[in-house]
Amino acid sequence: MTTTSAPDSRPPSLWPTLKNIWGFALPYFQSSEKWRARGLLLAVVLLNLGTVYMLVQINEWYRVFYDALQAKDQPVFWQQIGRFGWLALIYIVLAVYKFYLTQILQLRWRVWLTDHYMARWLANKAFYRMELARFTADEHGNPDNPDQRIQEDLNLFTSYTVSLSMGIFNALITLVSFVGILWTLSGSINVPLPGFLGGGEMEIVGYMVWAAVLYCAVGSAIAHWIGRPQVRLNFQQQMLEANFRHHMVRVREYSESIALDGGEQVERRQLDLRFRDVMGNYFSLIRNQKQLTWFSSFFSQAAIIFPMIVAAPRYFSGAIQLGQLMQINSAFGRVQDSLSWLVDNYMALAVWKATTDRLVGFETSLAHQSKTSDGLATTETAGGITAQDLTVGLPGGSTLLAGVDLNVKPGDTVLLHGPSGSGKSSLFRAISGIWPHARGRVSVPADTMFIPQRPYFPDGRLRDALAYPDPAENYTDEALREALDAALLPQLASELDREDAWSQKLSGGERQRLAIARVMLKKPAWVLADEATSALDEQAEATIYQRLVERVKQAHGAIVSIAHRSTLAAHHQQQWALRANEQVAGGPRYRLDVSKAD
């Protein structure tokens, strides 16, 4: 399970959160799509202004309509019914297009952000380095579930940023539009003062406005006090859900191994533990949401009658008519809705804050990976594979190999062996240029292919899996079949267009032969093979290695192999042996001995 520290449960500072949100929002509106993005944003803003303007017109309609009812003025009554129809129609059109363009803005923003972060995640091997960083004590490590952050968190971020920012804007515009109306309609009220304040009365002008401010201020403070744990709980919920989903994906990927080992009960216990964590946190979230719902429901229901109670004395005294009372009630409702926006949206704000925090962690890790300067200098050469003063370490910081010099010339066949954990695969990764825990200078020909211990095959057509990462269209069917035949997979030659999950469909030996078929197809001059035939029988291994050696020699290249089998020595002219050289605090350190094969 991945581990990521959740945000502090203390009340979050507003400024850093707004700064982070601004940092994620600004690049889109400065990108190549900036004019379309700005145009959509402007349209949404104008439509919000239009809907608020229509609400002001409907508020004025309340006064005229209810005064006509009180006066039993039938012509004005029917006239206002017709006017309301037009007002409602215009409001509906504005509301529909406000919703539609808001969704389009959110959708286009998500597309851009997803493309932006996928490009950065896959560039410069950042996806690989971030996985390695999970196992270090680096403060920039532990970026849990980057797939979930790109797929789900970006969707939540764009959705909540657009909806909540427009909600804030709409609340402010509504407040500005209606507070003046409410102030004018409120008039003044005389409030008796207690004796210790000198007695008498104090006139409060615009008292309905002050009542709305006081009502919403108290409500917002209580809502924040009740709901502040939701930031931490929402952050943890997204992380725990992703961990649960990730483990189920692993069970699917390693289904055969788990089935052969009879590990169903172990996996069930692991999944139960993760699901129990998910449900435990979710129940905590629900309990907090229940408390907040109790308060917000009471708050919203009380707001229905609160303005009537406050304005009733002036109505019963004859200072205002029924139409004005209803207009006051409508205006108070709009002002109260604007001022209590925090109460109504606290749960959404908590999710927004948690999602932003997770994206900040992802962005920090990506930025760190892009700024990290490798101590390994890699160059392309045509003369062979060379390394000078090469040091290879582990993610934890310990050093396996130090000061290694090596040279592979055209025509060489080299077998690298050594005890498990001595750094054979890490040395290959350093030569390939992807290992971030290496220092020195490496030169590798451009025409080089690496065969990893666990080759990757995309789901889909067999021809795509064989040609990966090149497009299958680059190769003729005849070339594809010849490669399969050379790798002892003639039975697959007729299934080039079959779609399947080849990593699970094929046996271990077939997967290794399919990886070798790629080499046969692309005909590189230089090959580095890491346990490439460990799942094959000795006869198949001998046949394949004979063909591999012949091909690289014909191309005036070389092959370097990692293997534990002594039978492979017959196919290699040199041997590199990793042997323990000294014991240091982080574990044994190895040296590289070079010798000719017997």
Side-chain angles (χ1 to χ4, degrees):
M1 180 186 296
T2 52
T3 57
T4 300
S5 57
D8 199 313
S9 59
R10 293 172 297 180
S13 176
L14 178 62
W15 174 245
T17 299
L18 293 177
K19 187 177 179 181
N20 289 331
I21 292 170
W22 178 255
F24 282 116
L26 188 60
Y28 174 57
F29 293 94
Q30 293 180 334
S31 69
S32 58
E33 296 187 18
K34 60 184 178 183
W35 296 117
R36 177 178 290 176
R38 294 173 185 178
L40 280 171
L41 180 60
L42 178 62
V44 171
V45 168
L46 292 176
L47 287 169
N48 273 276
L49 291 172
T51 55
V52 172
Y53 174 77
M54 294 310 300
L55 290 175
V56 172
Q57 296 302 311
I58 292 173
N59 177 266
E60 173 65 18
W61 174 87
Y62 273 111
R63 181 185 64 80
V64 179
F65 180 75
Y66 281 100
D67 280 347
L69 277 179
Q70 187 177 28
K72 297 183 179 180
D73 190 338
Q74 188 172 1
V76 174
F77 170 83
W78 289 112
Q79 180 187 20
Q80 291 303 309
I81 289 292
R83 181 168 178 258
F84 179 79
W86 284 107
L87 292 174
L89 178 62
I90 295 172
Y91 179 83
I92 290 170
V93 171
L94 292 174
V96 168
Y97 277 97
K98 182 181 76 170
F99 166 79
Y100 175 72
L101 293 181
T102 299
Q103 296 301 307
I104 293 296
L105 174 60
Q106 174 196 330
L107 178 64
R108 291 189 178 278
W109 191 8
R110 182 191 176 187
V111 169
W112 186 87
L113 274 176
T114 301
D115 180 71
H116 174 71
Y117 276 99
M118 280 200 303
R120 291 179 60 194
W121 182 51
L122 293 173
N124 301 318
K125 308 293 189 293
F127 64 98
Y128 175 70
R129 293 168 178 249
M130 288 174 68
E131 285 300 304
L132 293 175
R134 290 169 47 206
F135 304 103
T136 69
D138 189 342
E139 63 177 325
H140 301 289
N142 304 321
D144 69 282
N145 305 294
D147 53 314
Q148 187 246 12
R149 301 194 186 198
I150 293 175
Q151 182 268 325
E152 183 177 344
D153 288 349
L154 288 179
N155 181 34
L156 290 174
F157 176 77
T158 53
S159 174
Y160 280 107
T161 300
V162 172
S163 62
L164 292 176
S165 60
M166 285 299 102
I168 295 171
F169 174 76
N170 195 66
L172 291 174
I173 296 302
T174 302
L175 177 63
V176 171
S177 301
F178 280 92
V179 73
I181 296 173
L182 185 60
W183 183 278
T184 303
L185 294 173
S186 297
S188 62
I189 190 171
N190 293 321
V191 179
L193 295 176
F196 67 87
L197 291 178
E201 293 184 340
M202 180 179 68
E203 182 182 16
I204 300 178
V205 180
Y207 75 99
M208 291 295 296
V209 174
W210 299 115
V213 170
L214 179 63
Y215 183 82
C216 296
V218 172
S220 298
I222 296 174
H224 178 64
W225 177 72
I226 295 173
R228 64 182 180 180
Q230 288 198 33
V231 173
R232 171 179 53 83
L233 292 171
N234 276 288
F235 184 99
Q236 292 180 171
Q237 189 66 30
Q238 293 177 43
M239 179 185 68
L240 294 171
E241 293 276 10
N243 288 341
F244 178 56
R245 183 173 62 244
H246 176 70
H247 195 82
M248 286 193 290
V249 171
R250 285 181 61 82
V251 171
R252 189 185 69 189
E253 289 179 347
Y254 293 92
S255 57
E256 181 180 0
S257 298
I258 294 171
L260 290 172
D261 290 334
E264 294 88 347
Q265 293 304 315
V266 175
E267 297 307 318
R268 175 60 187 269
R269 285 195 296 271
Q270 291 294 322
L271 287 170
D272 284 344
L273 285 172
R274 285 163 171 77
F275 189 64
R276 192 155 51 242
D277 290 341
V278 169
M279 289 296 100
N281 191 82
Y282 192 49
F283 282 133
S284 298
L285 185 60
I286 289 175
R287 283 193 293 270
N288 187 265
Q289 289 177 345
K290 181 187 72 172
Q291 295 169 359
L292 189 59
T293 302
W294 270 110
F295 173 73
S296 60
S297 298
F298 173 81
F299 183 84
S300 60
Q301 291 301 311
I304 297 174
I305 61 170
F306 182 77
M308 291 290 193
I309 295 173
V310 178
R314 296 190 68 219
Y315 173 72
F316 288 117
S317 69
I320 57 175
Q321 300 298 311
L322 178 62
Q324 289 177 295
L325 177 65
M326 299 307 296
Q327 189 179 13
I328 288 173
N329 184 65
S330 173
F332 183 94
R334 299 299 177 187
V335 172
Q336 180 265 327
D337 285 344
S338 301
L339 292 174
S340 61
W341 185 86
L342 176 65
V343 177
D344 297 334
N345 292 276
Y346 201 93
M347 285 186 273
L349 286 167
V351 176
W352 191 27
K353 172 68 166 61
T355 301
T356 303
D357 288 343
R358 286 178 56 80
L359 287 175
V360 166
F362 186 50
E363 169 64 31
T364 301
S365 182
L366 275 177
H368 174 68
Q369 296 300 336
S370 64
K371 291 178 181 177
T372 300
S373 58
D374 291 337
L376 187 66
T378 58
T379 57
E380 287 188 1
T381 183
I385 299 173
T386 62
Q388 294 176 317
D389 195 23
L390 181 62
T391 297
V392 180
L394 293 175
S398 60
T399 299
L400 287 174
L401 296 164
V404 173
D405 294 322
L406 56 87
N407 184 20
V408 182
K409 302 184 298 298
D412 285 349
T413 53
V414 180
L415 177 64
L416 173 62
H417 61 87
S420 297
S422 58
K424 300 184 296 296
S425 296
S426 297
L427 178 60
F428 265 32
R429 296 177 189 128
I431 294 172
S432 71
I434 70 170
W435 191 243
H437 310 289
R439 301 188 306 275
R441 297 181 298 279
V442 172
S443 297
V444 179
D447 189 16
T448 302
M449 278 190 68
F450 297 85
I451 309 178
Q453 289 184 12
R454 297 175 56 200
Y456 168 73
F457 305 106
D459 295 346
R461 300 182 304 172
L462 177 61
R463 66 172 68 244
D464 295 319
L466 176 55
Y468 182 86
D470 298 337
E473 291 70 25
N474 290 2
Y475 305 96
T476 64
D477 286 4
E478 182 181 359
L480 295 170
R481 294 190 183 99
E482 285 179 358
L484 291 171
D485 187 64
L488 306 182
L489 288 173
Q491 70 276 15
L492 296 180
S494 60
E495 301 187 17
L496 290 174
D497 291 312
R498 179 180 171 183
E499 297 189 7
D500 214 325
W502 298 105
S503 293
Q504 298 181 36
K505 180 70 174 180
L506 301 177
S507 67
E510 287 175 325
R511 290 196 297 271
Q512 287 189 338
R513 280 179 280 167
L514 187 57
I516 292 168
R518 282 180 183 164
V519 177
M520 301 295 188
L521 176 67
K522 300 179 182 183
K523 300 180 175 63
W526 305 82
V527 176
L528 282 82
D530 187 356
E531 297 282 359
T533 57
S534 58
L536 303 184
D537 60 80
E538 292 184 4
Q539 182 178 353
E541 182 181 65
T543 301
I544 283 179
Y545 253 96
Q546 183 180 358
R547 295 175 179 178
L548 277 174
V549 170
E550 288 175 356
R551 295 222 173 184
V552 296
K553 285 188 174 182
Q554 288 173 1
H556 304 289
I559 183 170
V560 182
S561 305
I562 293 176
H564 288 94
R565 284 183 184 172
S566 59
T567 52
L568 275 184
H571 302 282
H572 298 81
Q573 297 172 339
Q574 296 184 48
Q575 290 194 34
W576 293 350
L578 291 174
R579 295 189 173 92
N581 188 38
E582 58 180 324
Q583 191 75 23
V584 294
R589 184 172 291 177
Y590 296 86
R591 71 177 189 273
L592 183 65
D593 292 340
V594 178
S595 63
K596 293 288 184 180
D598 296 333

